[in-house]
Amino acid sequence: MKPIQVTLFLAVILPLAAAAQTPPPYKPGLGDLMTMTVQPRHAKLGLAGQEKNWAYAAYEVHELEEALEHVVTYVPKWRDLNIGQLIEATTKQPIEALEAAIKAADAAKFDAAYKQLTEGCNACHKSVKLPMIVIKAPDRSAFPNQDFAPVR
């Protein structure tokens, strides 16, 4: 082979070889998104409420809403179920109640709304035949490197 032929050969073969070795992009499933994005937001929101850190609770309730939106974007259907409808039916009202409780800095209303949200999560799990997934309010932090107390 002549040098120009070798160069052309490599110019064609090397990109093809590299593409063949590139794995497909990671596509998280419903369980991945719930575990990686929704569950930590739910826990952090609960911890912020327990500490009456209303500024951080407001941040986390927004982050939880975004996490749920991402779930709907990446997994709009699971089995034969419309995930957006399920999430809206179980979380819309409790999240609105949480936002109102946070704005009012009302711990009792926050606790009631957080309980309602958690019960909604569990009702959703039961409705999709996953009753073994039971969500609860955190009794301690899984985030030892974060302080949930309000900044003074």
Coordinates of all heavy atoms in Angstrom, one line a residue, residues 29-36 38-40 42 78-79 83 117-137:
G29 N -34.0 4.3 34.1 CA -35.3 3.8 34.1 C -36.1 4.5 35.2 O -35.6 5.3 36.0
L30 N -37.4 4.1 35.4 CA -38.2 4.7 36.4 C -37.6 4.5 37.8 O -37.6 5.5 38.6 CB -39.6 4.1 36.3 CG -40.6 4.7 37.3 CD1 -40.8 6.2 37.1 CD2 -42.0 4.0 37.1
G31 N -37.2 3.3 38.1 CA -36.6 3.1 39.5 C -35.4 3.9 39.7 O -35.2 4.4 40.8
D32 N -34.5 4.0 38.6 CA -33.3 4.8 38.8 C -33.7 6.2 39.1 O -33.1 6.8 40.0 CB -32.5 4.8 37.4 CG -32.1 3.4 37.0 OD1 -31.8 2.6 37.9 OD2 -32.0 3.1 35.8
L33 N -34.6 6.8 38.4 CA -34.9 8.2 38.6 C -35.6 8.5 40.0 O -35.3 9.4 40.6 CB -35.9 8.7 37.5 CG -35.2 8.8 36.1 CD1 -36.3 9.0 35.0 CD2 -34.2 10.0 36.1
M34 N -36.4 7.5 40.4 CA -37.0 7.7 41.7 C -36.0 7.6 42.8 O -36.0 8.4 43.7 CB -38.1 6.6 41.9 CG -39.3 6.8 41.1 SD -40.2 8.3 41.6 CE -41.6 8.2 40.6
T35 N -35.0 6.7 42.7 CA -34.0 6.5 43.7 C -33.0 7.6 43.7 O -32.5 8.1 44.7 CB -33.3 5.1 43.5 OG1 -34.3 4.1 43.6 CG2 -32.3 4.9 44.6
M36 N -32.6 8.1 42.5 CA -31.5 9.1 42.4 C -32.0 10.5 42.6 O -31.2 11.3 43.0 CB -30.9 9.0 41.0 CG -30.1 7.7 40.7 SD -29.2 7.7 39.2 CE -30.4 8.1 38.0
V38 N -35.9 11.6 43.1 CA -37.1 11.9 43.8 C -36.9 11.6 45.3 O -37.2 12.4 46.2 CB -38.3 11.1 43.2 CG1 -39.6 11.3 44.1 CG2 -38.6 11.6 41.8
Q39 N -36.5 10.4 45.6 CA -36.4 10.0 47.0 C -35.5 10.9 47.8 O -35.8 11.3 48.9 CB -35.9 8.5 47.1 CG -36.0 7.9 48.5 CD -35.7 6.4 48.5 OE1 -35.5 5.8 47.5 NE2 -35.8 5.9 49.7
P40 N -34.3 11.3 47.3 CA -33.5 12.2 48.1 C -34.1 13.6 48.4 O -34.0 14.2 49.4 CB -32.2 12.4 47.3 CG -32.1 11.2 46.4 CD -33.6 10.8 46.2
H42 N -37.4 14.1 48.5 CA -38.4 13.9 49.5 C -37.8 13.9 50.9 O -38.3 14.5 51.8 CB -39.2 12.6 49.2 CG -40.2 12.2 50.2 ND1 -39.9 11.4 51.3 CD2 -41.5 12.4 50.3 CE1 -41.0 11.2 52.0 NE2 -42.0 11.8 51.4
W78 N -44.9 3.7 31.7 CA -44.3 2.6 32.3 C -45.3 1.5 32.4 O -46.4 1.7 32.9 CB -43.8 2.9 33.8 CG -43.1 1.8 34.5 CD1 -41.8 1.4 34.2 CD2 -43.6 1.0 35.5 NE1 -41.5 0.4 35.1 CE2 -42.6 0.1 35.9 CE3 -44.8 1.0 36.2 CZ2 -42.8 -0.8 36.9 CZ3 -45.0 0.0 37.2 CH2 -44.0 -0.8 37.5
R79 N -44.9 0.3 31.8 CA -45.9 -0.7 31.5 C -47.0 -0.1 30.6 O -46.7 0.5 29.6 CB -46.4 -1.4 32.8 CG -45.3 -2.1 33.5 CD -45.8 -2.7 34.8 NE -44.6 -3.3 35.5 CZ -44.7 -3.7 36.7 NH1 -45.8 -3.6 37.4 NH2 -43.7 -4.3 37.3
I83 N -47.4 7.9 33.5 CA -46.7 8.3 34.7 C -47.1 9.7 35.0 O -47.2 10.1 36.2 CB -45.2 8.1 34.5 CG1 -44.8 6.6 34.3 CG2 -44.4 8.7 35.7 CD1 -45.3 5.8 35.5
L117 N -48.3 13.9 51.3 CA -47.4 13.6 50.2 C -46.9 12.2 50.3 O -46.9 11.4 49.3 CB -46.3 14.6 50.1 CG -45.3 14.3 49.0 CD1 -45.9 14.5 47.6 CD2 -44.1 15.3 49.2
T118 N -46.4 11.8 51.4 CA -45.8 10.5 51.6 C -46.8 9.4 51.4 O -46.6 8.4 50.8 CB -45.2 10.4 53.0 OG1 -44.2 11.5 53.2 CG2 -44.5 9.1 53.3
E119 N -48.0 9.6 51.9 CA -49.1 8.6 51.7 C -49.5 8.5 50.2 O -49.8 7.4 49.7 CB -50.3 9.0 52.6 CG -50.1 8.8 54.0 CD -51.3 9.4 54.9 OE1 -52.1 10.2 54.4 OE2 -51.3 9.2 56.1
G120 N -49.4 9.7 49.5 CA -49.7 9.6 48.1 C -48.6 8.8 47.3 O -49.0 8.0 46.4
C121 N -47.4 8.9 47.7 CA -46.3 8.1 47.1 C -46.6 6.6 47.3 O -46.5 5.8 46.4 CB -45.0 8.5 47.7 SG -44.4 10.1 47.4
N122 N -46.9 6.3 48.6 CA -47.2 4.9 48.9 C -48.5 4.4 48.2 O -48.5 3.2 47.7 CB -47.3 4.7 50.4 CG -45.9 4.9 51.0 OD1 -44.9 4.5 50.4 ND2 -45.8 5.5 52.2
A123 N -49.5 5.2 48.1 CA -50.7 4.8 47.3 C -50.4 4.6 45.9 O -50.9 3.6 45.3 CB -51.8 5.9 47.5
C124 N -49.5 5.4 45.3 CA -49.1 5.2 43.9 C -48.4 3.9 43.8 O -48.6 3.1 42.8 CB -48.2 6.4 43.5 SG -47.8 6.3 41.7
H125 N -47.4 3.6 44.7 CA -46.7 2.3 44.6 C -47.7 1.1 44.7 O -47.5 0.2 43.9 CB -45.7 2.3 45.7 CG -44.6 3.3 45.7 ND1 -44.0 3.8 46.8 CD2 -44.1 4.0 44.6 CE1 -43.1 4.7 46.4 NE2 -43.2 4.9 45.1
K126 N -48.7 1.2 45.5 CA -49.6 0.1 45.6 C -50.4 0.0 44.3 O -50.7 -1.1 43.9 CB -50.6 0.4 46.8 CG -49.9 0.1 48.2 CD -50.9 0.4 49.3 CE -50.2 0.3 50.6 NZ -51.1 0.6 51.7
S127 N -50.8 1.1 43.8 CA -51.6 1.1 42.6 C -50.9 0.5 41.4 O -51.6 0.0 40.5 CB -52.2 2.5 42.2 OG -51.2 3.3 41.6
V128 N -49.6 0.6 41.4 CA -48.8 0.0 40.2 C -48.2 -1.4 40.6 O -47.3 -1.9 40.0 CB -47.7 1.0 39.7 CG1 -48.3 2.3 39.2 CG2 -46.6 1.2 40.8
K129 N -48.8 -1.9 41.7 CA -48.4 -3.3 42.1 C -47.0 -3.4 42.6 O -46.3 -4.4 42.4 CB -48.7 -4.3 41.1 CG -50.2 -4.3 40.7 CD -50.6 -5.4 39.7 CE -52.1 -5.5 39.4 NZ -52.9 -4.4 39.6
L130 N -46.5 -2.3 43.3 CA -45.2 -2.3 44.0 C -45.4 -1.9 45.4 O -44.7 -1.0 45.9 CB -44.3 -1.3 43.2 CG -43.9 -1.7 41.8 CD1 -43.2 -0.5 41.1 CD2 -43.1 -3.0 41.8
P131 N -46.2 -2.6 46.2 CA -46.5 -2.2 47.6 C -45.3 -2.4 48.5 O -45.3 -1.9 49.6 CB -47.7 -3.2 47.9 CG -47.4 -4.4 47.1 CD -46.9 -3.9 45.8
M132 N -44.3 -3.1 48.0 CA -43.1 -3.3 48.8 C -42.2 -2.1 48.9 O -41.4 -2.0 49.8 CB -42.3 -4.5 48.3 CG -41.5 -4.3 47.1 SD -42.5 -4.0 45.6 CE -42.8 -5.6 45.0
I133 N -42.5 -1.1 48.1 CA -41.8 0.2 48.1 C -42.6 1.1 49.0 O -43.6 1.6 48.7 CB -41.6 0.8 46.7 CG1 -40.9 -0.1 45.8 CG2 -40.9 2.2 46.8 CD1 -40.8 0.3 44.4
V134 N -42.1 1.3 50.3 CA -42.8 2.1 51.3 C -41.9 3.3 51.6 O -40.8 3.1 52.1 CB -43.1 1.2 52.5 CG1 -43.8 2.1 53.6 CG2 -43.9 0.0 52.1
I135 N -42.4 4.4 51.4 CA -41.7 5.7 51.7 C -42.2 6.2 53.1 O -43.4 6.0 53.4 CB -42.0 6.7 50.6 CG1 -41.6 6.2 49.2 CG2 -41.3 8.0 50.9 CD1 -40.2 5.7 49.1
K136 N -41.3 6.8 53.8 CA -41.7 7.3 55.1 C -40.9 8.6 55.4 O -39.9 8.9 54.7 CB -41.3 6.3 56.2 CG -39.9 6.0 56.4 CD -39.7 5.0 57.5 CE -38.2 5.0 57.9 NZ -37.9 5.7 59.2
A137 N -41.3 9.3 56.3 CA -40.6 10.5 56.7 C -39.3 10.1 57.3 O -39.2 9.1 58.0 CB -41.4 11.3 57.8

